[in-house]
Amino acid sequence: MNIMNVAYIGVGTLLLLWIFGNLYRRRKNWNKVICVIASNCTCCGRCLKRCSRHVLASVRNETGTQVAVKYPDKCTACGDCLSKCKFDALKLVERI
Ligand code: SF4
Ligand code: SF4
């Protein structure tokens, strides 16, 4: 077996692990959705950059700028944004 075959097998294995890992995460949390705890949120924006599905958004209201869940239907509850929040301002809750 030459070095290229080993590389192809390694990359293929990593790709499969990544795909099945993501499927498992989504299936595990299919009935959950992200929620912002406004009192803890500093509007740092780290979660906005992390969410590839653009579920979260910065919105302006009478009290200033806040981060809110703009498109809850697009949230897969993957938890990627949770890992970026240092202020304990995000949590996964049951979908209603
Ligand atoms: S849980 Fe995932 S999909 Fe939902 S807002 Fe966070 S990063 Fe986006
Ligand atoms: S990472 Fe946390 S504190 Fe920063 S904007 Fe998002 S929810 Fe707010």
Side-chain angles (χ1 to χ4, degrees):
M1 194 181 301
N2 69 30
I3 191 78
M4 286 307 289
N5 286 345
V6 173
Y8 287 138
I9 291 169
V11 169
T13 304
L14 287 175
L15 191 62
L16 283 175
L17 284 173
W18 182 79
I19 290 169
F20 284 115
N22 274 326
L23 286 175
Y24 174 74
R25 270 198 313 174
R26 288 183 186 190
R27 186 166 175 78
K28 195 173 81 174
N29 288 331
W30 66 271
N31 60 342
K32 297 198 172 169
V33 66
I34 201 70
C35 170
V36 180
I37 304 166
S39 56
N40 291 355
C41 179
T42 62
C43 294
C44 68
R46 289 166 59 94
C47 57
L48 302 181
K49 291 180 192 151
R50 189 64 182 91
C51 181
S52 58
R53 299 178 67 85
H54 308 292
V55 170
L56 300 160
S58 189
V59 292
R60 279 183 182 277
N61 60 21
E62 60 278 357
T63 58
T65 305
Q66 286 189 322
V67 167
V69 182
K70 193 168 182 187
Y71 302 108
D73 290 347
K74 290 168 69 177
C75 179
T76 60
C78 64
D80 288 347
C81 56
L82 288 172
S83 64
K84 287 293 172 186
C85 183
K86 295 182 174 178
F87 302 96
D88 203 21
L90 294 169
K91 68 175 178 180
L92 290 172
V93 296
E94 299 291 322
R95 279 187 194 273
I96 302 171

